[in-house]
Amino acid sequence: MNLNQITIPSQDLERSISFYETLGLQLIVDSRPRYARFMCPDGGSSFSLQYTEHLAQGDGVHIYFECQDLDSKVAHLQQQGIDFLSGPEDQRWLWREAHLTDPDNNHLILYWAGENRLNPPWRI
């Protein structure tokens, strides 16, 4: 089994499409104003937005985008006007992470874990 796609809610697809294109995702399905799907630049997964009138409350979902050149990617995105909550910072679980939110306040993490992504020292 392989993860193919994640769909998250959005109240403003126009704004969110622009945001995710700035992150580097390629728009492949444009069914505005209800739905949009992107192809991730690496790997075979896709990511989509679905219009909703009401966003979920609380902590919600955390979405991780793997990025080998994390520090330079974050610097580039900051130059494009993307604000980050933190990072890039080394974490005790051996991942390097930068945190941000999208226009609908979904929590995103750009990270690099290398070999530790699937094979941390404590793997069972």
Side-chain angles (χ1 to χ4, degrees):
M1 184 170 17
N2 189 21
L3 179 63
N4 172 40
Q5 175 177 313
I6 276 214
T7 302
I8 64 169
S10 175
Q11 288 186 310
D12 185 342
L13 257 65
E14 291 294 329
R15 185 177 60 175
S16 292
I17 287 169
S18 177
F19 175 84
Y20 283 101
E21 285 179 323
T22 300
L23 286 188
L25 279 66
Q26 179 186 357
L27 186 64
I28 59 171
V29 175
D30 188 347
S31 297
R32 289 179 235 197
R34 311 269 330 145
Y35 180 82
R37 186 171 353 137
F38 302 86
M39 181 172 65
C40 293
D42 298 314
S45 61
S46 60
F47 179 83
S48 60
L49 303 167
Q50 176 121 13
Y51 173 78
T52 185
E53 289 186 22
H54 305 285
L55 295 172
Q57 300 298 310
D59 197 27
V61 176
H62 292 79
I63 303 159
Y64 286 77
F65 288 101
E66 189 172 24
C67 184
Q68 185 170 2
D69 58 341
L70 179 64
D71 289 54
S72 61
K73 180 72 169 178
V74 168
H76 173 74
L77 291 172
Q78 287 173 323
Q79 291 173 351
Q80 301 297 313
I82 302 291
D83 292 322
F84 282 78
L85 302 171
S86 67
E89 297 173 349
D90 292 331
Q91 304 297 327
R92 62 181 171 79
W93 47 90
L94 306 178
W95 292 22
R96 187 161 177 77
E97 300 180 354
H99 293 247
L100 65 154
T101 58
D102 75 1
D104 292 294
N105 210 33
N106 293 301
H107 191 135
L108 309 178
I109 301 98
L110 303 185
Y111 81 100
W112 178 248
E115 183 68 22
N116 291 314
R117 181 170 80 75
L118 294 176
N119 295 301
W122 48 85
R123 180 179 168 159
I124 56 172

